[in-house]
Amino acid sequence: MIVFITGASAGFGAAMARIFVQNGHQVLIAGRRADRLQALAAELGDAALPVVLDVTDRASITSVLAGLPEAWRQIDVLINNAGLALGTTPAQESSLEDWDTMIATNVSGLVAMTRAILPDMVKRGSGTVINIGSVAGDTPYPGGNVYGATKAFVEQFTLNLRADLVGTGVRATNLAPGLCGGTEFSNVRMKGNDEAAAKVYEGTTPLTADDIANTAYWIATLPAHININRIEMMPTCQGYGPLNIKRTL
């Protein structure tokens, strides 16, 4: 099986690359940071092929796919993992540039990757698309604004893929994690404020990148007649709270 993972230079992507390679599969590890991809490829050996790719640049996607060696072209699993959150401020205080970046990566990049690879899967009658969503796509919270909206798009896009792909043999899943530590996610969201990022996980036992990777592997290796539409994962220390109410005392 050949697996294409975007955002593979760290976090969920690197963890997923490891588990697929460890279980005998070939993995295309894609991302923007060539040095990190090379380091991961050196760790994983010949079963991993690094490709420098920016999902927000359609020319980059076209060029990478056209340049793949023949033995790597039949992509069986696409994992749209590249994504990010920027900022936690209320909408009226948030940066429009940050919003544009999240939409370009989490929505437009994911759509472009899917559209580039999906036709060959349909033609062969097999394949799996795993989109990395978030609990934020279903449950709003203060400061989630555009990040949550992009993940809501991922949820609806995945379900609409399911509607379009019925009978084709191609599967689609939205894998939606909650609180997950040990990655760059919060450091990126807090724009390098490591102290603020650390506070997100203070006193918790969050999910890990390996938890997400193991789940993605399970989804991808189920019998071909089974489609997992959506998985929402949370650590046991996280749950649902009351609606946000501003009280005047």
Side-chain angles (χ1 to χ4, degrees):
M1 188 160 68
I2 297 175
V3 184
F4 194 118
I5 304 173
T6 66
S9 61
F12 295 174
M16 290 187 285
R18 290 185 180 101
I19 191 169
F20 279 99
V21 167
Q22 287 164 7
N23 284 277
H25 304 289
Q26 294 172 253
V27 181
L28 288 151
I29 49 175
R32 293 178 300 173
R33 295 176 290 188
D35 55 339
R36 294 206 179 190
L37 293 174
Q38 291 294 345
L40 182 59
E43 172 194 333
L44 298 178
D46 292 341
L49 181 66
V51 290
V52 177
L53 170 74
D54 181 353
V55 298
T56 68
D57 180 350
R58 291 190 181 180
S60 172
I61 295 171
T62 301
S63 174
V64 163
L65 293 177
L68 291 178
E70 191 62 38
W72 289 84
R73 292 196 171 195
Q74 185 175 306
I75 296 164
D76 300 293
V77 180
L78 168 63
I79 304 181
N80 282 311
N81 170 67
L84 77 167
L86 291 170
T88 57
T89 53
Q92 68 273 19
E93 299 171 16
S94 296
S95 159
L96 185 57
E97 183 179 41
D98 286 348
W99 285 3
D100 285 341
T101 299
M102 287 186 281
I103 293 167
T105 308
N106 302 356
V107 175
S108 299
L110 180 146
V111 165
M113 282 300 308
T114 303
R115 184 59 182 80
I117 291 174
L118 191 61
D120 281 345
M121 289 182 170
V122 172
K123 187 177 179 180
R124 293 194 311 269
S126 67
T128 303
V129 178
I130 300 175
N131 294 323
I132 303 300
S134 169
V135 297
D138 190 58
T139 304
Y141 59 86
N145 44 71
V146 166
Y147 173 68
T150 64
K151 293 304 185 177
F153 177 92
V154 172
E155 164 73 359
Q156 192 63 23
F157 178 62
T158 307
L159 293 176
N160 277 289
L161 283 177
R162 286 283 300 118
D164 287 343
L165 294 170
V166 169
T168 65
V170 181
R171 308 184 292 185
T173 299
N174 177 29
L175 173 51
L179 186 70
C180 190
T183 74
E184 301 174 329
F185 178 83
S186 287
N187 303 77
V188 171
R189 188 171 204 173
M190 305 300 182
K191 300 184 178 179
N193 186 337
D194 292 341
E195 184 179 351
K199 284 187 180 297
V200 174
Y201 309 102
E202 202 170 72
T204 73
T205 304
L207 300 174
T208 68
D210 285 341
D211 295 330
I212 310 308
N214 286 325
T215 305
Y217 182 79
W218 175 75
I219 292 166
T221 55
L222 284 168
H225 69 286
I226 301 172
N227 192 99
I228 302 300
N229 298 332
R230 180 177 190 266
I231 289 183
E232 182 179 273
M233 301 172 63
M234 287 185 184
T236 54
C237 65
Q238 185 181 32
Y240 299 103
L243 293 173
N244 191 25
I245 298 173
K246 174 66 175 176
R247 301 183 188 277
T248 302
L249 301 177

